[in-house]
Amino acid sequence: MTIETYRDAWGIPHLRASSARELASAQGRVTARDRAWQLEVERHRSQGTSAAFLGAGALSWDVLARRARLDDTARRCFAALERRDPETADWVRCYVDGVNEGLQAGAVRAPEFARTGLTPGPWQPWTPLGVWLATHLLFAGFPAKLWREQVIRHLGPEAVALFAADGPGTAGSNGWLVTGARTATGHALIAGDPHRFIEDPGVYQQIHLSCPEFDVIGLAVPGVPGIAHFGHTGAVAWAITNAMADYQDLYRERLRRTGAGVQALGPDGHWHRAPRHTETVEIAGEPPIEIEIIETERGPVIAGGPEGLEAGIMAPDPQAPDPQAPDPQASDGEDAPQGPPAPDDETRTGGAGGNGIPAEDEAEAGASGAEAPQAIREAEAGASDAEAPQAIREAEALALALRYPPRVTNDLGFSALLPLLRARTVQDVDRALDAWAEPVNVVQAADTRGGTLHRVAGRVPVRAQANRLHPVPAWRPGHDWHGRHETPYAPVDDGIAVMANERGVAAPLGVEFAPPHRADRIRTLLRQRPAWTADAMPAVHTDTHLASAAPLLDHLAVLDGLTPAAARLRDRLLAWDRRMDADSTDAAGYAAVRGAVVRRLAAHPVFAPLAGPPAYPEVLLPWLALVPRVGHALEHLLRAEELSGIDRPAAVRAALEEVAAGPPTGTWADTHRLTPWRALPDAPGDCREPGLAGDHDCVLCTSAVPGLTDGAARGPAARYVWDLADRAASRWIVPFGADGVPGSPHHRDQLPLWLTGELAPVSTDWSLLTPEPDSDSDSDSDSDTGTDTGGTR
């Protein structure tokens, strides 16, 4: 057996082993050494046990994780993986064995264990699947359906389009592919940056994995074996962005207690048994709480119970069956007989959602290439006539169930991971991704033979359009799932392919997408050079042009009768180059005016019903917060022909005068500062984080929340350039460093480069790497493993 661990100048682990199984064990062990605290936090988050050592601030997540059955789903998916794909299941077990081998040594290095009194616990074979589930549960943004429901209820269906934008918790990314026709080498380049909440330690782990079967560099997810999202095998490279697809559904459930059991009203008009049990959630420094876990035929109940939500807004539908009335066809605590739905008007309309749209046409509704607001208007027009108003009238005082694909299929897509590592061509990547489940991604790939790939990967169920827009009533027929959507592909036109969460190749699969500004800007920049190189790509990564500033500046341009100070500020902003540069005082002035406009619009009485969200779990409330919703949708709100009677020119005028009376005295970076998430935010030695360039709609996407904060909790969680001509010419960077231990030499050594947009070199030459003295090897550390690198160095 040969397992060797090397490090480069940045402390990045380079692992070499004599088999894929041994390599998986080595990856688990080195990750535990470098990221023991991060792994322990993620393990507890997947189990819903993190409040036991992090305190009440983690309680809402723990309750959601428990009620959504994340750990149980991970167990089911792993058991199914063992039956369906025993090789991958064994490979995952090897990774877990490595984690368990390295945890104690890693915990000694990590001061957080001593601070919390925590002892690392053992990983189970399914723990990596649980970590993956917990990391991506909110990626599809299902809480946005609760927001749309609120908007429909209080402002009407037509108002939904006004707020169409990627939500405050939705992850996005930039990615682009340039074919050999547009590069200096004649081979493709793939580059980009995933936008995530910036965490310390980072959400991506730079790593190099080599064995006789494959030799791959890439960005791994700590706690998960292999390299799922961003990798380069030497012969082929791939990268992803969030497809903004909609693949999770929320169901309003009518529940009732029957002795010690619970029943749920089904679409057949009968009451069906809903398995239930209770669990105890421990909270550091506080008494434990007991929660009820209920699962209906739709999915786990994540909010409410038989007694409804904590506070209802509207009375139940008087024509719906009485939840307390006995069902003559259902015995106490037992499932009702399965019968066909009653032939009422809804089922006779021919639509799977009772909305008049033929079932075969439902999948295509709203799937045109139109801009997001128009697509939402079209979708609402089709789904709201019968379905949406009724669903909204019935909405409150009901439990809420979540249906998500791995819970239904027992498949998390891990069977794609080993084939990705073994890939040599884009066809190999394409076949591997046919097994992908979630999150649903847009993928780009290129190989050394000149092949390219631009596709969506993941599973999106086919169901009624209403399911995609808002929570739907579980007791009404037409909201079940019917198979999965076909995989969309897109050509690489003009030697360029761009993915930035906009409405594009994934349009048939989603409802709301990111504004097109980042994608349009990337295309513009890429067309400005005839021959790109890897070294030139940071100019795209770090572009700060803010196209979404136009609507507010247009409003400023037509104002008259201003005070002298306001007129000077207005003129200055109209002459501004619209770049959110760190040292720009004009960018700071624009952000101040923008924030003031957002606050004034959000404070208007017409939006007052949206200011106080209903009693949903705290972890879901960021999607329901009014000020961030107004801030991210400001472009639509200012450009709409009419906005519920709001005098927008007056709001803009007042905001401008407000800022002019007390203008910001510094630059954009003075307030636009990095605000990373740490499990223990009050760690000793924490310093004031640096100021940043960029903004939400810039290619350099460092997201402020206009009207609430200039701080940036989200941004590029990594940057990469994969060079298909020479892998050693590739580049990468993460916000902090390779080591998760505070104070270690490689904990924050990449931050200076990340701030300036520079990229660190990718090292693949073993002779230039430093072997670790504790490498487990029964042969000479300089021996040749026999790896066929396929041009990897």
Side-chain angles (χ1 to χ4, degrees), residues 69-97 123-133 223-225 406-407 409-415 417:
R69 312 299 309 279
L70 295 189
D71 187 62
D72 184 69
T73 302
R75 292 170 184 250
R76 292 185 182 190
C77 289
F78 186 79
L81 185 66
E82 285 189 301
R83 296 189 300 269
R84 184 183 62 253
D85 185 358
E87 181 193 20
T88 297
D90 180 60
W91 177 71
V92 174
R93 282 183 181 274
C94 290
Y95 179 88
V96 169
D97 290 344
W123 278 47
Q124 302 298 330
W126 56 85
T127 302
L129 285 74
V131 169
W132 190 263
L133 276 169
V224 178
R407 188 68 183 167
T409 65
N410 294 330
D411 185 8
L412 201 50
F414 269 42
S415 288
L417 297 180

Side-chain angles (χ1 to χ4, degrees), residues 268-283:
D268 58 0
H270 300 154
W271 293 91
H272 300 261
R273 178 177 174 270
R276 65 153 318 263
H277 67 277
T278 59
E279 295 183 6
T280 299
V281 183
E282 302 288 340
I283 312 167

Side-chain angles (χ1 to χ4, degrees), residues 603-680:
H604 194 279
V606 74
F607 293 141
L610 300 175
Y616 294 118
E618 181 182 352
V619 70
L620 305 182
L621 296 187
W623 281 265
L624 296 165
L626 177 60
V627 170
R629 281 289 178 180
V630 171
H632 288 306
L634 184 61
E635 186 175 11
H636 297 321
L637 296 172
L638 291 178
R639 277 184 167 162
E641 292 183 6
E642 200 275 334
L643 187 63
S644 302
I646 298 176
D647 188 343
R648 286 167 291 178
V652 173
R653 177 187 298 274
L656 181 67
E657 294 284 3
E658 172 193 332
V659 175
T665 57
T667 66
W668 176 225
D670 288 336
T671 57
H672 188 53
R673 309 195 77 86
L674 182 64
T675 56
W677 181 87
R678 297 182 180 92
L680 293 177

Side-chain angles (χ1 to χ4, degrees), residues 238-439:
W238 67 91
I240 62 98
T241 65
N242 187 348
M244 310 296 284
D246 179 81
Y247 52 90
Q248 301 163 329
D249 282 352
L250 290 173
Y251 290 82
R252 293 289 179 187
E253 295 279 359
R254 291 192 178 277
L255 305 177
R256 70 178 184 183
R257 296 201 183 276
T258 56
V262 171
Q263 292 180 337
L265 184 61
D268 58 0
H270 300 154
W271 293 91
H272 300 261
R273 178 177 174 270
R276 65 153 318 263
H277 67 277
T278 59
E279 295 183 6
T280 299
V281 183
E282 302 288 340
I283 312 167
E286 298 185 15
I289 65 168
E290 189 174 75
I291 62 173
E292 185 174 35
I293 310 298
I294 302 172
E295 186 159 7
T296 74
E297 294 176 359
R298 270 67 57 191
V301 172
I302 63 169
E307 292 73 35
L309 295 175
E310 293 181 10
I313 293 177
M314 302 187 72
D317 178 9
Q319 297 185 6
D322 182 357
Q324 303 305 321
D327 183 349
Q329 300 190 52
S331 60
D332 187 13
E334 298 295 327
D335 287 347
Q338 296 294 321
D344 58 13
D345 289 340
E346 272 190 22
T347 57
R348 285 199 301 268
T349 61
N355 55 18
I357 302 176
E360 62 270 19
D361 294 335
E362 286 268 302
E364 299 303 321
S368 71
E371 291 297 328
Q374 180 62 29
I376 292 177
R377 290 191 191 97
E378 293 169 356
E380 283 294 338
S384 64
D385 293 342
E387 199 64 48
Q390 184 71 10
I392 302 310
R393 286 197 297 272
E394 296 168 336
E396 291 305 328
L398 301 167
L400 198 65
L402 173 66
R403 188 171 180 84
Y404 58 103
R407 188 68 183 167
V408 176
T409 65
N410 294 330
D411 185 8
L412 201 50
F414 269 42
S415 288
L417 297 180
L418 270 173
L420 277 175
L421 297 177
R422 293 166 173 157
R424 307 312 256 179
T425 67
V426 294
Q427 290 79 15
D428 295 338
V429 172
D430 194 22
R431 284 191 294 269
L433 293 175
D434 286 339
W436 193 265
E438 75 164 55

